[in-house]
Amino acid sequence: MATVELKQVSKIYPGGVRAVNSINLTIKDREFVVLVGPSGCGKTTTLRMVAGLEEISEGTLSIDGRVVNNVAPKDRDIAMVFQNYALYPHMSVYKNMAFSLQLRRRELGLTKQLIDQRVREAAAILGLTDYLQRKPKALSGGQRQRVAVGRAIVRDPKAFLFDEPLSNLDAKLRVETRSEIKKLHLRLQTTTIYVTHDQEEAMTLGDRIVVMKDGLIQQCAPPLEVYEHPVNRFVASFVGTPPMNFLSGTLQSGREFVFGDQRLTLPEKLTANLGQSAAGPLILGVRPESMSLCNEGRFAGENNCIRGTVSVIEPLGDKVDVYFTMANQPQMVCRTDAHHLAGIRPQSPGSFFVAMDKCHLFEADAIGRNVSLAGR
Ligand code: ATP
């Protein structure tokens, strides 16, 4: 068990590429933290610096209070699980799991019996007991990934590092293995840092998620906090599927958000602390699930409906995504109950009720700070 602390850590590759830019992050003992962000945001580089596979250009990395910048990977007492499993093809599952312990048996003070016990325990936890004599090529992708996890478990490390471990699995297996990893963490309580580009994986696994972009941490908080209170437009659009909708407009008479010939009345909590931002262009953020169809007259004509033209309807089973367009705005999407769809079809006019208390207001500049957070 361990606390992992990154202080002002940067990675500058030859040629001056700042892949990670002065990040501060403390992963508490027993915590499961997920680094998530689009390709190239620096999450793998961060993980590899923690593992010791990548040199740290600036800043300090501590494990349990001890600075380990110059400590070799094998002496950091952390175990990494990779996307491509990296199993030895000529060794059995048993041997793959036991190998690193056997290599360092004397150094670690382990007996053969103890290694055997650890391998069998890990195999039991991971449902691999019946496969111990097989070679990796005779296993499914999910089983191979479990062997890779098993190899990490037997080392009883201070921390687990996972680098996109589920990317090679098909969708169903990904969800199953995801929940196995979660159960494993509940059981072992080992400090874990997990890298993924998949926001859903991040949301379901992490005690906290760290959203990264361009080598910088954008937000670090529990998943629901990030979903409900994104600090900027990037985080708002990255977390949640379909992503949050954005409407460009201005604020008039204090609480009226005006866009084209339409307006929505904002609740006071959104506008309470806007300060200077109130005068400039603003962007209203609305999640697809915070809208519903109001064509059936239920809300039609009332305040807080957006009118548009339906472009595409995507049934999902119990829910349906209704895409619609308006002049001079990006396409919007409303996720609503499938049985509310009556009468709606592509090219028909649509009216969409907006749950205004679930909306966000962002500045219209490149950073797009969430200016409605100050009011909560
Ligand atoms: P992905 O999900 O695609 O792996 P990532 O968020 O993990 O992306 P990194 O692999 O950490 O991103 O890369 C961060 C940045 O550093 C990228 O712009 C990448 O091109 C750059 N980079 C990575 N490795 C090197 C290297 N060896 N030399 C130069 N630049 C590098």
Side-chain angles (χ1 to χ4, degrees), residues 13 17 19 38-45 164:
Y13 281 114
V17 181
S39 183
C41 71
K43 49 197 190 300
T44 297
T45 303
E164 304 252 13

Side-chain angles (χ1 to χ4, degrees), residues 124-288:
I125 291 173
L126 294 163
L128 289 170
T129 305
D130 293 342
Y131 302 93
L132 283 172
Q133 298 317 318
R134 284 207 198 168
K135 297 269 170 61
K137 69 171 188 299
L139 298 174
S140 70
Q143 289 163 341
R144 281 180 212 171
Q145 192 52 283
R146 275 189 267 155
V147 178
V149 173
R151 200 168 45 178
I153 293 177
V154 295
R155 290 177 51 194
D156 189 21
K158 282 187 172 167
F160 286 134
L161 308 181
F162 287 96
D163 188 8
E164 304 252 13
L166 309 182
S167 298
N168 288 353
L169 308 180
D170 67 38
K172 186 165 174 283
L173 203 53
R174 212 158 47 222
V175 172
E176 281 170 21
T177 314
R178 186 172 83 192
S179 100
E180 279 176 19
I181 289 178
K182 189 155 184 156
K183 275 191 265 173
L184 193 69
H185 180 255
L186 284 174
R187 177 169 180 161
L188 301 177
Q189 299 269 300
T190 308
T191 309
T192 300
I193 312 177
Y194 186 106
V195 160
T196 179
H197 63 274
D198 180 339
Q199 57 90 27
E200 189 182 301
E201 210 169 290
M203 295 285 285
T204 51
L205 282 173
D207 295 323
R208 280 188 302 157
I209 65 177
V210 179
V211 184
M212 294 183 69
K213 180 185 174 231
D214 298 337
L216 295 168
I217 293 180
Q218 305 289 311
Q219 186 165 8
C220 171
L224 264 190
E225 166 83 11
V226 173
Y227 178 81
E228 287 176 352
H229 305 292
V231 294
N232 59 34
R233 233 163 49 225
F234 171 76
V235 175
S237 62
F238 190 77
V239 172
T241 37
M244 189 183 277
N245 298 292
F246 296 116
L247 275 171
S248 303
T250 51
L251 209 57
Q252 289 179 14
S253 327
R255 303 247 305 271
E256 298 291 300
F257 183 79
V258 178
F259 54 105
D261 61 352
Q262 304 195 51
R263 61 183 55 223
L264 293 165
T265 306
L266 303 176
E268 197 178 350
K269 70 168 190 179
L270 247 66
T271 55
N273 293 292
L274 289 186
Q276 295 286 351
S277 312
L282 286 167
I283 291 179
L284 186 77
V286 190
R287 292 217 179 267

Side-chain angles (χ1 to χ4, degrees), residues 320-331:
V320 60
D321 286 345
V322 181
Y323 289 83
F324 63 98
T325 55
M326 284 171 290
N328 303 320
Q329 298 287 350
Q331 175 169 260

Side-chain angles (χ1 to χ4, degrees), residues 2-4 26-33 190-192 208:
T3 299
V4 178
T26 302
I27 298 113
K28 294 182 285 240
D29 187 25
R30 296 161 191 256
E31 199 179 16
F32 196 125
V33 165
T190 308
T191 309
T192 300
R208 280 188 302 157

